[in-house]
mmCIF file of all heavy atoms in Angstrom:
data_model
loop_
_atom_site.group_PDB
_atom_site.id
_atom_site.type_symbol
_atom_site.label_atom_id
_atom_site.label_comp_id
_atom_site.label_asym_id
_atom_site.label_seq_id
_atom_site.Cartn_x
_atom_site.Cartn_y
_atom_site.Cartn_z
ATOM 1 N N ALA A 1 -124.424 -19.978 84.874
ATOM 2 C CA ALA A 1 -125.810 -19.993 85.351
ATOM 3 C C ALA A 1 -126.180 -18.630 85.938
ATOM 4 O O ALA A 1 -127.270 -18.102 85.681
ATOM 5 C CB ALA A 1 -125.998 -21.104 86.388
ATOM 6 N N GLU A 2 -125.269 -18.051 86.711
ATOM 7 C CA GLU A 2 -125.508 -16.724 87.286
ATOM 8 C C GLU A 2 -125.546 -15.660 86.185
ATOM 9 O O GLU A 2 -126.380 -14.752 86.206
ATOM 10 C CB GLU A 2 -124.424 -16.389 88.310
ATOM 11 C CG GLU A 2 -124.657 -15.106 89.065
ATOM 12 C CD GLU A 2 -125.927 -15.099 89.904
ATOM 13 O OE1 GLU A 2 -126.369 -16.178 90.353
ATOM 14 O OE2 GLU A 2 -126.486 -14.003 90.100
ATOM 15 N N ALA A 3 -124.653 -15.783 85.214
ATOM 16 C CA ALA A 3 -124.626 -14.839 84.092
ATOM 17 C C ALA A 3 -125.928 -14.898 83.300
ATOM 18 O O ALA A 3 -126.430 -13.866 82.844
ATOM 19 C CB ALA A 3 -123.434 -15.136 83.188
ATOM 20 N N MET A 4 -126.474 -16.095 83.125
ATOM 21 C CA MET A 4 -127.754 -16.248 82.418
ATOM 22 C C MET A 4 -128.860 -15.477 83.138
ATOM 23 O O MET A 4 -129.679 -14.824 82.500
ATOM 24 C CB MET A 4 -128.137 -17.726 82.327
ATOM 25 C CG MET A 4 -127.331 -18.533 81.337
ATOM 26 S SD MET A 4 -127.931 -18.425 79.643
ATOM 27 C CE MET A 4 -129.526 -19.199 79.780
ATOM 28 N N LYS A 5 -128.866 -15.552 84.457
ATOM 29 C CA LYS A 5 -129.883 -14.836 85.236
ATOM 30 C C LYS A 5 -129.747 -13.326 85.048
ATOM 31 O O LYS A 5 -130.735 -12.620 84.849
ATOM 32 C CB LYS A 5 -129.754 -15.179 86.724
ATOM 33 C CG LYS A 5 -130.171 -16.581 87.075
ATOM 34 C CD LYS A 5 -129.961 -16.835 88.557
ATOM 35 C CE LYS A 5 -130.121 -18.306 88.886
ATOM 36 N NZ LYS A 5 -129.727 -18.606 90.273
ATOM 37 N N ILE A 6 -128.514 -12.846 85.140
ATOM 38 C CA ILE A 6 -128.281 -11.405 84.984
ATOM 39 C C ILE A 6 -128.708 -10.949 83.591
ATOM 40 O O ILE A 6 -129.441 -9.972 83.440
ATOM 41 C CB ILE A 6 -126.801 -11.062 85.242
ATOM 42 C CG1 ILE A 6 -126.446 -11.296 86.718
ATOM 43 C CG2 ILE A 6 -126.509 -9.608 84.843
ATOM 44 C CD1 ILE A 6 -124.961 -11.223 87.018
ATOM 45 N N CYS A 7 -128.240 -11.661 82.577
ATOM 46 C CA CYS A 7 -128.582 -11.283 81.197
ATOM 47 C C CYS A 7 -130.091 -11.318 80.972
ATOM 48 O O CYS A 7 -130.662 -10.411 80.363
ATOM 49 C CB CYS A 7 -127.868 -12.212 80.209
ATOM 50 S SG CYS A 7 -126.088 -11.934 80.108
ATOM 51 N N GLY A 8 -130.737 -12.372 81.472
ATOM 52 C CA GLY A 8 -132.188 -12.499 81.318
ATOM 53 C C GLY A 8 -132.937 -11.343 81.942
ATOM 54 O O GLY A 8 -133.941 -10.867 81.401
ATOM 55 N N GLY A 9 -132.442 -10.868 83.077
ATOM 56 C CA GLY A 9 -133.087 -9.750 83.758
ATOM 57 C C GLY A 9 -133.018 -8.441 82.990
ATOM 58 O O GLY A 9 -133.848 -7.554 83.184
ATOM 59 N N TRP A 10 -132.047 -8.326 82.111
ATOM 60 C CA TRP A 10 -131.863 -7.103 81.328
ATOM 61 C C TRP A 10 -132.292 -7.262 79.864
ATOM 62 O O TRP A 10 -132.178 -6.328 79.075
ATOM 63 C CB TRP A 10 -130.394 -6.668 81.361
ATOM 64 C CG TRP A 10 -129.981 -6.105 82.677
ATOM 65 C CD1 TRP A 10 -129.403 -6.774 83.722
ATOM 66 C CD2 TRP A 10 -130.112 -4.752 83.103
ATOM 67 N NE1 TRP A 10 -129.168 -5.911 84.763
ATOM 68 C CE2 TRP A 10 -129.588 -4.663 84.414
ATOM 69 C CE3 TRP A 10 -130.613 -3.597 82.502
ATOM 70 C CZ2 TRP A 10 -129.562 -3.475 85.131
ATOM 71 C CZ3 TRP A 10 -130.570 -2.405 83.220
ATOM 72 C CH2 TRP A 10 -130.057 -2.351 84.515
ATOM 73 N N GLY A 11 -132.733 -8.444 79.497
ATOM 74 C CA GLY A 11 -133.100 -8.683 78.093
ATOM 75 C C GLY A 11 -131.888 -8.864 77.198
ATOM 76 O O GLY A 11 -131.973 -8.689 75.978
ATOM 77 N N SER A 12 -130.754 -9.230 77.789
ATOM 78 C CA SER A 12 -129.546 -9.495 77.009
ATOM 79 C C SER A 12 -129.412 -10.990 76.768
ATOM 80 O O SER A 12 -130.041 -11.804 77.448
ATOM 81 C CB SER A 12 -128.307 -8.985 77.766
ATOM 82 O OG SER A 12 -128.370 -7.579 77.932
ATOM 83 N N ARG A 13 -128.584 -11.361 75.802
ATOM 84 C CA ARG A 13 -128.377 -12.773 75.457
ATOM 85 C C ARG A 13 -126.952 -13.172 75.780
ATOM 86 O O ARG A 13 -126.020 -12.399 75.581
ATOM 87 C CB ARG A 13 -128.643 -12.993 73.971
ATOM 88 C CG ARG A 13 -129.989 -12.486 73.485
ATOM 89 C CD ARG A 13 -131.138 -13.305 74.056
ATOM 90 N NE ARG A 13 -132.422 -12.773 73.660
ATOM 91 C CZ ARG A 13 -133.169 -13.275 72.702
ATOM 92 N NH1 ARG A 13 -132.774 -14.314 72.031
ATOM 93 N NH2 ARG A 13 -134.325 -12.720 72.413
ATOM 94 N N LEU A 14 -126.790 -14.405 76.263
ATOM 95 C CA LEU A 14 -125.484 -14.900 76.651
ATOM 96 C C LEU A 14 -124.960 -15.925 75.658
ATOM 97 O O LEU A 14 -125.633 -16.905 75.340
ATOM 98 C CB LEU A 14 -125.542 -15.536 78.045
ATOM 99 C CG LEU A 14 -124.193 -15.977 78.625
ATOM 100 C CD1 LEU A 14 -123.319 -14.756 78.937
ATOM 101 C CD2 LEU A 14 -124.400 -16.825 79.874
ATOM 102 N N ILE A 15 -123.754 -15.670 75.175
ATOM 103 C CA ILE A 15 -123.016 -16.600 74.335
ATOM 104 C C ILE A 15 -121.922 -17.206 75.212
ATOM 105 O O ILE A 15 -121.208 -16.486 75.898
ATOM 106 C CB ILE A 15 -122.351 -15.865 73.141
ATOM 107 C CG1 ILE A 15 -123.391 -15.186 72.255
ATOM 108 C CG2 ILE A 15 -121.449 -16.799 72.357
ATOM 109 C CD1 ILE A 15 -124.122 -16.083 71.325
ATOM 110 N N ILE A 16 -121.790 -18.516 75.164
ATOM 111 C CA ILE A 16 -120.768 -19.207 75.947
ATOM 112 C C ILE A 16 -119.544 -19.437 75.065
ATOM 113 O O ILE A 16 -119.669 -19.914 73.935
ATOM 114 C CB ILE A 16 -121.296 -20.572 76.456
ATOM 115 C CG1 ILE A 16 -122.532 -20.387 77.342
ATOM 116 C CG2 ILE A 16 -120.201 -21.346 77.165
ATOM 117 C CD1 ILE A 16 -122.291 -19.688 78.649
ATOM 118 N N ASN A 17 -118.374 -19.105 75.577
ATOM 119 C CA ASN A 17 -117.145 -19.306 74.818
ATOM 120 C C ASN A 17 -116.656 -20.740 75.004
ATOM 121 O O ASN A 17 -116.458 -21.189 76.138
ATOM 122 C CB ASN A 17 -116.085 -18.306 75.287
ATOM 123 C CG ASN A 17 -114.815 -18.389 74.471
ATOM 124 O OD1 ASN A 17 -113.895 -19.105 74.810
ATOM 125 N ND2 ASN A 17 -114.786 -17.656 73.375
ATOM 126 N N ASP A 18 -116.476 -21.436 73.902
ATOM 127 C CA ASP A 18 -115.853 -22.759 73.827
ATOM 128 C C ASP A 18 -116.679 -23.929 74.360
ATOM 129 O O ASP A 18 -116.700 -24.983 73.752
ATOM 130 C CB ASP A 18 -114.506 -22.820 74.574
ATOM 131 C CG ASP A 18 -113.474 -21.867 74.022
ATOM 132 O OD1 ASP A 18 -113.637 -21.426 72.878
ATOM 133 O OD2 ASP A 18 -112.512 -21.556 74.738
ATOM 134 N N ARG A 19 -117.307 -23.795 75.494
ATOM 135 C CA ARG A 19 -117.891 -24.943 76.202
ATOM 136 C C ARG A 19 -119.324 -25.211 75.753
ATOM 137 O O ARG A 19 -120.295 -24.766 76.369
ATOM 138 C CB ARG A 19 -117.794 -24.715 77.692
ATOM 139 C CG ARG A 19 -116.334 -24.447 78.102
ATOM 140 C CD ARG A 19 -116.160 -24.433 79.565
ATOM 141 N NE ARG A 19 -114.866 -23.853 79.914
ATOM 142 C CZ ARG A 19 -114.242 -24.094 81.033
ATOM 143 N NH1 ARG A 19 -114.751 -24.904 81.921
ATOM 144 N NH2 ARG A 19 -113.077 -23.523 81.273
ATOM 145 N N VAL A 20 -119.413 -25.974 74.678
ATOM 146 C CA VAL A 20 -120.702 -26.265 74.055
ATOM 147 C C VAL A 20 -121.629 -26.972 75.036
ATOM 148 O O VAL A 20 -122.837 -26.702 75.076
ATOM 149 C CB VAL A 20 -120.516 -27.109 72.773
ATOM 150 C CG1 VAL A 20 -121.843 -27.427 72.130
ATOM 151 C CG2 VAL A 20 -119.600 -26.392 71.793
ATOM 152 N N GLU A 21 -121.074 -27.890 75.828
ATOM 153 C CA GLU A 21 -121.908 -28.654 76.763
ATOM 154 C C GLU A 21 -122.551 -27.744 77.808
ATOM 155 O O GLU A 21 -123.699 -27.968 78.214
ATOM 156 C CB GLU A 21 -121.099 -29.774 77.436
ATOM 157 C CG GLU A 21 -119.990 -29.323 78.370
ATOM 158 C CD GLU A 21 -118.735 -28.764 77.704
ATOM 159 O OE1 GLU A 21 -118.581 -28.886 76.465
ATOM 160 O OE2 GLU A 21 -117.901 -28.182 78.414
ATOM 161 N N VAL A 22 -121.857 -26.697 78.231
ATOM 162 C CA VAL A 22 -122.419 -25.741 79.187
ATOM 163 C C VAL A 22 -123.529 -24.941 78.513
ATOM 164 O O VAL A 22 -124.604 -24.745 79.085
ATOM 165 C CB VAL A 22 -121.329 -24.806 79.757
ATOM 166 C CG1 VAL A 22 -121.951 -23.679 80.589
ATOM 167 C CG2 VAL A 22 -120.330 -25.588 80.586
ATOM 168 N N ALA A 23 -123.282 -24.496 77.291
ATOM 169 C CA ALA A 23 -124.300 -23.743 76.549
ATOM 170 C C ALA A 23 -125.560 -24.572 76.375
ATOM 171 O O ALA A 23 -126.680 -24.080 76.556
ATOM 172 C CB ALA A 23 -123.747 -23.316 75.187
ATOM 173 N N ALA A 24 -125.393 -25.858 76.053
ATOM 174 C CA ALA A 24 -126.546 -26.746 75.862
ATOM 175 C C ALA A 24 -127.276 -26.980 77.184
ATOM 176 O O ALA A 24 -128.513 -26.921 77.238
ATOM 177 C CB ALA A 24 -126.077 -28.072 75.266
#
């Protein structure tokens, strides 16, 4: 969740490794 905020602030995209439920 924190990584999503950081990436969003820079216009970057976050890929989650393995944990599909977290990505969803």
Side-chain angles (χ1 to χ4, degrees):
E2 186 62 28
M4 286 276 295
K5 289 178 191 171
I6 293 170
C7 289
W10 287 94
S12 297
R13 307 292 176 102
L14 186 68
I15 299 282
I16 300 293
N17 184 268
D18 299 341
R19 305 189 194 204
V20 179
E21 67 286 349
V22 171

